[in-house]
Amino acid sequence: MKASDFSYENPNSLNAALALLANQDGDVQLLAGGQSLMPMMNFRLAAPDTLVDLNGVKELQFIQETETSIEIGAMTRYVQLEQSPLVTQHIPLFAKALPHIAHSAIRNRGTIGGSAALADPAAEMPALLIALGATLNLQSLTGQRSVLADDFFLGLYETTLADGEIIESISIPKLASTDRTGFYELARRHGDYAMAGVAVVDRVVGDLASLRVVFFAISDRPVRDQKMEDLLQRPSANDEQQHLKEAIGQLEFHGDLNADAATKQHLAGVVLNRALKEMET
Amino acid sequence: MNQRHSISMTVNGEAITMDVPVRMNLVDFLRNELGLTGSHVGCEHGVCGACTLKIDGEMVRGCLMLAVQADGCTITTIEGFADDPRSDRLQAAFERNNALQCGYCTPGMLASALDYIEAGGSTDRTAIRQHISGNYCRCTGYQSIVDAIAQTIEEGQKS
Ligand SMILES: Cc1cc2nc3c(=O)[nH]c(=O)nc-3n(C[C@H](O)[C@H](O)[C@H](O)COP(=O)(O)OP(=O)(O)OC[C@H]3O[C@@H](n4cnc5c(N)ncnc54)[C@H](O)[C@@H]3O)c2cc1C
Ligand code: FES
Ligand code: FES
């Protein structure tokens, strides 16, 4: 099918985009990489009255370094993250995970901000952001606020983004060279949405020292479980596998087109063990 | 309402200025307005890869971009690859290996394969399969397509 008609706006600054978002009547939608919104429009699952294209807002495309973090503009594309030496050095988890997000033609367009705003429970990026302890910086005409990734994703395609807000950038605390990361996902075909996946970040130094385990594609949102993290931080006992299995059994699983809830529960254990194994080597 | 915008772009080396409906996607524009029917339309939601084309040097899905978004860009479709010697070798390898039957996937498959070859991709079959995983073929079973791509890379290494 084809998209229904809309007014097309192509602002060249964040302020102009914010003004359009706040002042246009009807359903106003932002267009980032279009790799999720365009399919929805072609299927008429989305039929915005006004489309505000962010591709001309160059101030949203950047990867910068501060002493403690990497700052990434919302319109930064997956391919730019893959090719960035700053990202490779300070966020090695991205280098492991990005090749699993769709296919290269999709990664040439899709953006980090679009994936965060969409909040697809099967997507890698929301889980990565939680595992990394990222902060999302949101901008509206009336002000700016910052939200931890832990608090940003509320459910199936649901976030804390309010009407009139745009994700401006995402701050990711740098990983130290002694920190370790793990990533594993099972998909039917390379690049497909996962049947189950997990991201693990083990920060051993600094204020953020902690172990984080975040599953994706198993529920209606990324799933982080404190009990499991505590368990994994204790010196491993003989019955660790049993404890892990019990901890996984207590998570809430939602089936989707790829696998039912019981299969996902089984696969969660598989991906976790494989990610942990990869971290040991 | 039928909103239109004027756009200018270079398509296969030719400068083009035109008025287009804003809701028209890029591959429909190329096919229906410019008559470049080499790029195919399969699924219209990014999954099949039949519409894959090159814009400002990067492979994209023609069904997931609006024509208005290509304003100011340089586009190469399968018709534009015809002058590229590497593309000639690849096409010959496709023919030799029976890497196409109905041909519906072929333009997108060639575009993805060329991208892989130009990026210095290896003859490793798993790597080739991963790269073309975003292109569906309902006829060949992929084996012969992987053969054709691997052979083209080997030929390139010899010459
Ligand atoms: C064939 C195919 C396979 C795919 N496979 C995967 C996969 O395996 N894993 C995966 O994670 N994704 C996958 N995707 C989706 C892809 O990653 C999308 O690019 C991504 O989810 C959305 O990013 P986008 O930039 O394209 O956003 P868009 O599609 O442009 O926008 C998505 C939504 O976010 C909103 N939005 C965008 N930017 C902002 C912003 N800065 N502030 C506020 N709201 C904003 C838009 O209004 C829209 O509602 C796949 C897509 C396709 C077509
Ligand atoms: S028609 Fe564009 S990917 Fe199928
Ligand atoms: S040759 Fe028919 S779909 Fe590939």
Side-chain angles (χ1 to χ4, degrees), chain B residues 69-85:
Chain B
Q69 291 188 291
D71 190 21
C73 294
T74 300
I75 294 171
T76 313
T77 65
I78 193 70
E79 288 91 343
F81 292 135
D83 307 326
D84 179 341

Side-chain angles (χ1 to χ4, degrees), chain A residues 1-8 31 35 38-39 42-44 53 55 103-105 108-109 189-190, chain B residues 1-3 5 22-23 28 44-46 58-61 63-66 68-69 130-131 133-134 136:
Chain A
M1 267 166 68
K2 313 290 179 192
S4 56
D5 203 14
F6 49 82
S7 314
Y8 176 76
L31 178 64
Q35 303 302 293
M38 284 288 298
N42 287 348
F43 281 170
R44 306 236 173 153
D53 190 347
N55 286 278
H103 318 285
S104 65
N108 282 341
R109 295 292 298 170
R189 191 178 56 142
H190 184 83
Chain B
M1 90 182 157
N2 194 358
Q3 325 238 5
H5 258 254
V22 293
R23 73 191 188 94
D28 282 346
E44 301 192 314
H45 67 289
E58 283 188 330
M59 293 295 162
V60 303
R61 298 290 202 237
C63 69
L64 299 187
M65 262 185 91
L66 298 166
V68 287
Q69 291 188 291
Q130 276 194 6
H131 189 85
S133 66
Y136 276 9

Side-chain angles (χ1 to χ4, degrees), chain B:
Chain B
M1 90 182 157
N2 194 358
Q3 325 238 5
R4 302 178 77 88
H5 258 254
S6 171
I7 54 173
S8 301
M9 56 178 100
T10 307
V11 181
N12 298 335
E14 203 178 314
I16 282 158
T17 298
M18 251 192 181
D19 218 30
V20 294
V22 293
R23 73 191 188 94
M24 183 178 273
N25 69 41
L26 181 56
V27 67
D28 282 346
F29 169 74
L30 294 167
R31 290 175 55 85
N32 301 339
E33 305 296 311
L34 301 186
L36 294 168
T37 52
S39 310
H40 291 166
V41 180
C43 66
E44 301 192 314
H45 67 289
V47 170
C48 75
C51 64
T52 305
L53 48 88
K54 207 175 202 178
I55 179 158
D56 288 344
E58 283 188 330
M59 293 295 162
V60 303
R61 298 290 202 237
C63 69
L64 299 187
M65 262 185 91
L66 298 166
V68 287
Q69 291 188 291
D71 190 21
C73 294
T74 300
I75 294 171
T76 313
T77 65
I78 193 70
E79 288 91 343
F81 292 135
D83 307 326
D84 179 341
R86 248 180 313 210
S87 172
D88 282 350
R89 276 212 301 270
L90 184 65
Q91 287 180 46
F94 264 59
E95 199 184 329
R96 197 167 60 236
N97 287 281
N98 286 329
L100 67 157
Q101 288 177 32
C102 77
Y104 207 88
C105 69
T106 312
M109 201 62 92
L110 288 170
S112 288
L114 265 183
D115 187 39
Y116 179 78
I117 295 168
E118 277 170 19
S122 78
T123 53
D124 178 70
R125 299 183 73 86
T126 309
I128 294 175
R129 278 180 180 273
Q130 276 194 6
H131 189 85
I132 60 166
S133 66
N135 292 75
Y136 276 9
C137 177
R138 303 279 84 156
C139 302
T140 64
Y142 302 100
Q143 198 74 9
S144 54
I145 295 178
V146 178
D147 289 340
I149 297 171
Q151 284 174 21
T152 308
I153 296 169
E154 278 163 17
E155 282 168 25
Q157 285 164 349
K158 273 184 229 143
S159 63

Side-chain angles (χ1 to χ4, degrees), chain A residues 14 21 28-40 46 51-52 54-55 60 73-78 98-103 106-107 109-120 122-126 137-139 152 159 161-162 165-169 185 187 189-194 216, chain B residues 43 45-49 61 63-64 134:
Chain A
L14 180 57
L21 195 56
V28 187
Q29 293 239 18
L30 300 168
L31 178 64
Q35 303 302 293
S36 295
L37 184 54
M38 284 288 298
M40 291 191 278
L51 203 55
V52 178
L54 294 179
N55 286 278
L60 293 179
M75 282 300 294
T76 305
R77 303 185 198 281
Y78 299 123
L98 283 164
H100 295 273
I101 302 179
H103 318 285
I106 313 274
R107 292 197 296 273
R109 295 292 298 170
T111 65
I112 187 170
S115 186
L118 186 67
D120 187 320
E124 290 82 357
M125 192 50 77
N137 304 308
L138 316 180
Q139 187 76 46
F152 184 76
T159 69
L161 264 179
E165 272 183 332
I166 293 181
I167 303 174
E168 189 260 327
S169 67
E185 76 168 53
R189 191 178 56 142
H190 184 83
D192 281 358
Y193 278 107
F216 55 94
Chain B
C43 66
H45 67 289
V47 170
C48 75
R61 298 290 202 237
C63 69
L64 299 187

Side-chain angles (χ1 to χ4, degrees), chain A residues 188-203:
Chain A
R188 290 190 186 273
R189 191 178 56 142
H190 184 83
D192 281 358
Y193 278 107
M195 299 163 79
V198 69
V200 186
V201 174
D202 188 9
R203 293 185 190 262

